[in-house]
């Protein structure tokens, strides 16, 4: 399969083969991860990686763009159509650089910005202290209500009125509920802020009609391409026509050099796939699966932040189970269920050893799993967490065996040869 690689670098080849096995055998519940199609993967592994293309289609600084220009234009056109936006830039190397470009487009160092606090579910790049966005800008953070676990829009509005931010960020990495883009837009309008909707996690749900779209409300939409959207690792910025020159200038030459053309091509492929009826069904099934998983966990006595989920993601507070999130996550990994430990809002524990775990259904849904498999997974999660709390290694090994049994019946996209 990888003859040249195996000959040149057997060490790396061996590790990649082992990672393939891991991705096939385990149940992957990290909500930001997915399986790309074979077509997307083929596009990333091409000679497009050999080409420099600084600039934009028709306006490059290097010759030889006869095939790169139409590739990037196709990606841009598909993004515009899929998300109903005026303009798309498909060059950001990933979600974080895409967000940094937004700051460069609209802010000067020291300007005030308002974003969701990291411990409440926001992203580092929305102004958190350890991020460049929290160091070079004066960042103010909003959170969620303690009683509901949901964004406190009254707090967002009063902070916006008090601090008059240049940018207002909505979206995040651990938000289990629908984002009210219209409400954020009205706050942004009231204070003259640029509204940025960061849909990195939910882009696939938006594309598939399983989450409302920010297109009518946000000035700028930022996204990764590799989470629910199921493309290669990358980023995109979309915006109204009026902001297009500022966004494009911020990405290049403001922040980046040459675009990763092999990624651009794979983004184009993923966007084509995301426009299909099959993808719409996929997006809706992600949400149905997350709901089924939530029901299974709630029935077993688990506390979900906000009480449940509207999207692909669940945030579980394990305080009642008397096991820290990290210990639970490590035990579950040994049981073949891969998720991540995560802070919960108002977490009394430290970020490196918090009270909760975060999980989601994009990857298992890509394998064709449905509600009945979610019921098995909820049971295994419960058994695994309890085994972790009581150091029952035997139970974890037994669950791992049962997990492998199930995953064999649901070949992962691109890894079909490892099933059966
Ligand atoms: C994942 C994510 C990002 C950053 O993406 P990277 O590709 O990891 O840099 C930004 N914002 C949100 C909300 C995310 O979930």
């Amino acid at each position: 399969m990888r003859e040249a690689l195996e000959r040149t670098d057997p060490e790396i080849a061996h590790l990649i083969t082992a990672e393939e096995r891991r991705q096939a055998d385990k149940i992957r519940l990290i909500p930001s991860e997915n399986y790309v199609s074979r077509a997307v993967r083929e596009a990333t592994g091409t000679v497009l990686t050999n080409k420099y293309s600084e600039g934009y289609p028709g306006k490059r600084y290097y010759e030889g763009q006869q095939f790169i220009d139409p590739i990037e234009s196709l990606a841009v056109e598909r993004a515009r159509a899929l998300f109903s936006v005026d303009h798309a830039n498909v060059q950001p190397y990933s979600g974080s650089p895409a967000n940094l470009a937004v700051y460069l487009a609209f802010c000067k160092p020291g300007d005030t910005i308002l974003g969701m606090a990291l411990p409440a579910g926001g992203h580092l790049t929305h102004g958190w202290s350890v991020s460049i966005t929290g160091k070079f800008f004066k960042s103010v953070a909003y959170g969620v209500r303690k009683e509901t676990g949901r964004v406190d829009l009254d707090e967002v509005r009063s902070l916006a009125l008090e601090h008059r931010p240049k940018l207002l960020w909505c979206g995040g990495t651990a938000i289990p509920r629908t984002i009210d883009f219209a409400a954020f837009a009205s706050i942004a309008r009231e204070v003259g802020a640029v509204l940025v909707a960061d849909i990195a996690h939910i882009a696939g749900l938006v594309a598939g009609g399983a989450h409302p779209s920010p297109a009518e409300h946000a000035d700028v939409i930022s996204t990764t391409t590799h989470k629910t959207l199921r493309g290669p690792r990358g980023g995109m910025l979309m915006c109204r026509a009026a902001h297009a020159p500022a966004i494009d200038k911020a990405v290049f030459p403001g922040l980046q050099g040459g675009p990763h053309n092999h990624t651009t091509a794979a983004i184009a492929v993923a966007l084509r796939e995301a426009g299909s009826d099959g993808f719409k069904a996929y997006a809706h099934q992600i949400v149905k699966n997350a709901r089924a998983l939530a029901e299974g966990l709630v029935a077993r006595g688990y506390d979900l932040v906000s009480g449940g989920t509207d999207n692909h993601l669940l945030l579980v507070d394990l305080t009642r189970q008397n096991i820290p999130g990290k210990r639970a996550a490590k035990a579950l990994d040994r049981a073949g269920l891969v998720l991540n430990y995560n802070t919960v809002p108002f977490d009394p524990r430290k970020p490196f050893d918090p009270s909760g775990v975060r999980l989601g259904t994009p990857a298992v849904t890509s394998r064709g799993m449905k509600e009945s498999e979610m019921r098995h997974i909820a049971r295994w999660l419960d058994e695994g967490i309890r085994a972790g709390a009581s150091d029952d290694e035997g139970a974890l090994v037994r669950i791992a065996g049962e997990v492998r049994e199930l995953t064999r019946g649901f070949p992962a996209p691109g890894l079909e040869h490892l099933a059966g």
Side-chain angles (χ1 to χ4, degrees):
M1 289 254 315
R2 272 189 291 266
E3 285 159 36
L5 181 58
E6 266 151 31
R7 238 185 352 261
T8 305
D9 193 336
E11 242 177 320
I12 288 291
H14 168 76
L15 290 167
I16 292 172
T17 302
E19 171 65 9
E20 283 184 347
R21 187 85 257 169
R22 190 192 70 83
Q23 291 194 15
D25 285 352
K26 294 202 174 183
I27 289 178
R28 299 173 60 231
L29 295 166
I30 294 174
S32 47
E33 291 184 355
N34 214 330
Y35 297 95
V36 298
S37 70
R38 205 170 271 273
V40 166
R41 236 170 68 199
E42 280 177 6
T44 64
T46 59
V47 295
L48 300 180
T49 195
N50 295 341
K51 184 75 194 107
Y52 247 110
S53 315
E54 285 183 359
Y56 290 101
K59 294 166 282 188
R60 307 280 192 186
Y61 292 81
Y62 296 80
E63 295 314 310
Q65 311 296 346
Q66 290 83 352
F67 307 106
I68 300 298
D69 274 4
I71 286 170
E72 184 170 334
S73 297
L74 272 171
V76 167
E77 285 315 309
R78 287 174 186 172
R80 289 181 57 209
L82 188 64
F83 290 97
S84 308
V85 290
D86 294 343
H87 180 71
N89 186 310
V90 298
Q91 294 193 6
Y93 298 143
S94 209
S96 302
N99 287 352
L100 202 51
V102 177
Y103 288 86
L104 185 57
F106 298 103
C107 299
K108 299 249 176 313
D111 279 353
T112 301
I113 67 103
L114 176 57
M116 194 175 192
L118 184 71
H123 190 261
L124 285 163
T125 55
H126 300 178
W128 196 242
S129 54
V130 298
S131 154
I132 184 171
T133 62
K135 292 184 191 293
F136 286 22
F137 303 93
K138 181 175 169 294
S139 86
V140 181
Y142 62 87
V144 294
R145 280 186 205 269
K146 198 158 193 175
E147 321 82 68
T148 61
R150 295 175 189 238
V151 172
D152 184 345
L153 285 161
D154 296 331
E155 185 196 16
V156 177
R157 179 163 178 267
S158 70
L159 288 172
L161 287 167
E162 183 187 342
H163 296 281
R164 301 272 155 180
K166 278 270 182 67
L167 293 182
L168 171 57
W169 290 89
C170 62
T173 61
I175 303 174
R177 296 297 181 174
T178 302
I179 300 163
D180 188 346
F181 297 118
F184 274 102
S186 107
I187 295 169
R189 256 196 316 276
E190 197 177 348
V191 302
V194 171
L195 178 64
V196 195
D198 183 346
I199 60 168
H201 260 258
I202 55 171
L205 303 183
V206 171
H211 186 290
S213 167
E216 266 183 54
H217 306 292
D219 298 291
V220 179
I221 301 171
S222 167
T223 187
T224 59
T225 48
H226 48 271
K227 297 179 185 175
T228 50
L229 193 56
R230 216 159 61 177
R233 304 199 81 76
M236 296 199 297
L237 288 170
M238 297 173 276
C239 62
R240 304 188 197 289
H243 297 313
I247 287 289
D248 283 352
K249 254 171 56 190
V251 173
F252 175 85
L255 198 62
Q256 300 188 167
H260 294 180
N261 296 312
H262 55 303
T263 300
T264 304
I267 289 174
V269 175
L271 290 168
R272 185 189 172 112
E273 290 176 348
S276 69
D277 288 342
F279 194 89
K280 280 195 190 76
Y282 166 63
H284 284 92
Q285 189 64 46
I286 289 177
V287 175
K288 287 191 229 167
N289 283 351
R291 247 176 232 153
L293 200 49
E295 280 164 20
L297 289 172
V298 168
R300 287 175 172 80
Y302 286 83
D303 257 338
L304 303 193
V305 171
S306 83
T309 179
D310 297 328
N311 54 27
H312 64 301
L313 182 147
L314 291 73
L315 194 52
V316 187
D317 184 340
L318 294 172
T319 306
R320 269 211 264 167
Q321 278 68 30
N322 227 341
I323 178 171
K326 193 188 220 170
R327 184 147 163 230
K330 290 193 176 300
L332 288 170
D333 187 50
R334 296 201 289 284
L337 300 146
V338 191
L339 42 65
N340 65 277
Y341 61 86
N342 212 96
T343 49
V344 296
F346 308 98
D347 203 322
R349 301 179 59 91
K350 299 252 169 354
F352 197 60
D353 190 15
S355 300
V357 290
R358 188 187 69 151
L359 63 158
T361 51
V364 290
T365 308
S366 287
R367 301 182 79 142
M369 293 186 191
K370 297 224 160 74
E371 287 91 328
S372 67
E373 286 73 40
M374 298 307 117
R375 288 190 268 278
H376 291 297
I377 293 174
R379 177 168 55 78
W380 286 325
L381 286 168
D382 178 36
E383 291 172 358
I385 287 166
R386 286 199 275 150
S390 61
D391 280 321
D392 184 350
E393 247 354 273
L396 297 177
V397 171
R398 175 195 43 88
I399 297 166
E402 291 177 19
V403 162
R404 228 171 6 256
E405 202 61 37
L406 179 79
T407 54
R408 286 211 178 104
F410 294 89
L415 296 172
E416 293 85 356
H417 59 290
L418 297 180

